[in-house]
Amino acid sequence: MGIKIVSVLAGVLMMAPFTTSAQTSSSLLSIIVDASNPPLRTIAPGTKNEIVTVLRLHASIEPVKLNALTLGCDCTRVNSVEQFTVWDGAVEVGAGRFDAAALYPSSGNVYFAGGVIIPQDGDKVLTIKVDVAPTSVVQNGDFIAINFSYDAPAGVTKAVGQNSGQLIGVSGYTTAPGVKISIPTKSSANQAVLQQLQQQITALQQQLA
């Protein structure tokens, strides 16, 4: 067990322990929240392909192939996420789910067919998107965040060095801002309709003037 500096944010040093129990190479893969990660915001129930987390992966010493990744649902209720998908740019590279009936319901695994390559001493940005459950499942104010933790229970995260062919230690503990569910009330919905009508009336008055 050791300590790995994973990020510096607003002058504050962010550190996370990392494990070497399965590591057979001195190479390392570190995972942090990317600077492009969107801030906390509200979304509607049933929203699809909503970006919740942007991860930056850094490989040291040699190129690394990431074959599997375990992500955690830091959520009010795990069934608020119907599924999550992982994207390398515009390409979807994997998908996973959280199972409320599982032994570790907040852990979800994704396996990458062919693996995701992180260049030597370079970075790879992966985007996590979610499909949100409908109003029959979620409630107003529910929180959804998807994060990576090196010590996730029943984790399957696996990285292999492309030069050494050996398992690579993976470090990181992320805390993405996430999203909150906002369900419009009848009064707010009516207010939106009235505002739209007022805009149409104003536009019509300007045309007749």
Side-chain angles (χ1 to χ4, degrees), residues 64-138:
V64 172
K65 178 189 284 188
L66 183 65
N67 294 317
L69 184 66
T70 296
L71 294 172
C73 184
D74 299 326
C75 309
T76 305
R77 62 195 86 245
V78 295
N79 59 353
S80 62
V81 177
E82 293 185 328
Q83 75 160 355
F84 64 88
T85 53
V86 181
W87 297 74
D88 181 0
V91 179
E92 182 181 334
V93 293
R97 297 177 183 275
F98 301 105
D99 184 357
L103 181 61
Y104 300 104
S106 61
S107 289
N109 302 322
V110 54
Y111 299 88
F112 304 112
V116 173
I117 303 296
I118 300 91
Q120 178 178 341
D121 298 321
D123 298 325
K124 169 71 70 174
V125 173
L126 295 179
T127 301
I128 315 300
K129 301 180 182 181
V130 296
D131 290 348
V132 180
T135 52
S136 58
V137 176
V138 299

Side-chain angles (χ1 to χ4, degrees), residues 25-200:
S25 169
S26 59
S27 303
L28 185 69
L29 178 65
S30 59
I31 301 178
I32 63 174
V33 175
D34 187 65
S36 66
N37 197 100
L40 176 66
R41 62 207 184 281
T42 58
I43 61 173
T47 301
K48 306 299 182 185
N49 290 320
E50 181 71 22
I51 296 175
V52 291
T53 308
V54 182
L55 298 176
R56 178 172 293 273
L57 292 70
H58 180 82
S60 62
I61 301 179
E62 63 178 318
V64 172
K65 178 189 284 188
L66 183 65
N67 294 317
L69 184 66
T70 296
L71 294 172
C73 184
D74 299 326
C75 309
T76 305
R77 62 195 86 245
V78 295
N79 59 353
S80 62
V81 177
E82 293 185 328
Q83 75 160 355
F84 64 88
T85 53
V86 181
W87 297 74
D88 181 0
V91 179
E92 182 181 334
V93 293
R97 297 177 183 275
F98 301 105
D99 184 357
L103 181 61
Y104 300 104
S106 61
S107 289
N109 302 322
V110 54
Y111 299 88
F112 304 112
V116 173
I117 303 296
I118 300 91
Q120 178 178 341
D121 298 321
D123 298 325
K124 169 71 70 174
V125 173
L126 295 179
T127 301
I128 315 300
K129 301 180 182 181
V130 296
D131 290 348
V132 180
T135 52
S136 58
V137 176
V138 299
Q139 295 182 17
N140 193 51
D142 278 0
F143 178 73
I144 297 174
I146 308 297
N147 282 296
F148 170 79
S149 174
Y150 78 98
D151 61 350
V156 300
T157 299
K158 181 181 179 182
V160 178
Q162 293 300 277
N163 295 339
S164 65
Q166 297 178 331
L167 291 176
I168 302 299
V170 182
S171 71
Y173 188 93
T174 68
T175 53
V179 297
K180 278 191 173 183
I181 301 299
S182 177
I183 302 175
T185 61
K186 288 184 178 180
S187 59
S188 63
N190 290 339
Q191 183 64 35
V193 172
L194 289 174
Q195 184 177 6
Q196 185 178 15
L197 288 173
Q198 183 60 51
Q199 291 173 346
Q200 292 174 349

